[in-house]
Amino acid sequence: RALVIEDSVVVRKSLSRVLVKLGFEVTEVTNGMDGLKELKESLFNLVLCDFLMPIMDGLDCIQQFRQWESANRHHIRQYIVGISAHASDKDIEAGLKVGMDEFRSKPVSFADLTELKDCKQFKRLSEELQTLQQNPCSAKRPKFG
C-alpha cells in the first residue's frame, strides 16, 4: 500500500498511476492534515509527501506523525519519502531532520519509484507489515486496507 500526500492533482494522479503499475494500492490526500490522519489510521509500505501544501505542510505533517509514532506505534517505523520541485539543500536537510527517510525531486520518475521499491528499508518494512497482518494476536493493530 502507498500513501500520496500531494496538493497538485496532476502530480498526485501521475504518482498514483505509476504506483498502481508497480503493484500498489494507493490512497491519495491533498494536504498534510489529511495525510497525518491517514498515517495515524493505517500502515503503508511507502509514503510520498510533498513539502509545500495548504492547511498543513509536509514538514509539519511528518514531524507531528513521528512524535505520535514514537509514543503510539514504536514497534514499526513508517517509510516516508519527501518530494518537492523546489527544495534546497537546507529544505532537504530539514525534511530529514523531522523524520523523512529520503528525498526525491519532482517530477518523481518511474525509475525513482522502482528504486524506492527495491531499497532495503522498503523491503524490511514490507516484511514487517506482512508479519503484522498474519499475526492475529497483535494488540492495537492498525488497519491494512
Side-chain angles (χ1 to χ4, degrees):
R1 294 186 64 218
L3 173 63
V4 177
I5 308 170
E6 167 65 57
D7 60 320
S8 165
V9 68
V10 173
V11 173
R12 196 171 59 248
K13 295 298 180 189
S14 174
L15 288 169
S16 291
R17 275 193 301 276
V18 174
L19 288 166
V20 167
K21 286 181 183 179
L22 289 171
F24 288 93
E25 175 187 323
V26 180
T27 300
E28 300 176 10
V29 296
T30 60
N31 62 67
M33 187 166 294
D34 290 342
L36 181 60
K37 180 177 181 268
E38 285 293 330
L39 284 164
K40 288 179 178 180
E41 291 178 358
S42 302
L43 287 168
F44 298 91
N45 299 78
L46 175 64
V47 176
L48 299 173
C49 183
D50 189 18
F51 275 53
L52 300 173
M53 294 177 286
I55 303 175
M56 178 187 287
D57 69 26
L59 295 178
D60 288 338
C61 170
I62 301 311
Q63 182 174 31
Q64 289 183 35
F65 173 69
R66 289 299 189 205
Q67 290 169 351
W68 178 89
E69 183 182 51
S70 67
N72 298 283
R73 195 189 293 157
H74 50 268
H75 61 284
I76 197 162
R77 181 178 166 90
Q78 185 66 70
Y79 181 50
I80 301 172
V81 178
I83 58 174
S84 180
H86 308 290
S88 66
D89 288 344
K90 188 175 179 180
D91 294 330
I92 295 167
E93 184 179 318
L96 297 173
K97 187 175 181 178
V98 301
M100 292 178 175
D101 296 296
E102 289 193 47
F103 172 80
R104 291 292 191 270
S105 293
K106 291 183 198 174
V108 179
S109 68
F110 183 85
D112 287 328
L113 294 173
T114 301
E115 182 181 301
L116 291 170
K117 189 176 178 185
D118 290 340
C119 80
K120 280 197 271 185
Q121 192 171 0
F122 172 85
K123 289 180 179 181
R124 181 185 47 76
L125 176 60
S126 294
E127 289 171 6
E128 290 175 9
L129 293 177
Q130 186 172 12
T131 300
L132 278 174
Q133 278 184 299
Q134 294 171 351
N135 184 357
C137 299
S138 288
K140 295 180 72 175
R141 286 179 27 195
K143 69 178 181 177
F144 290 94

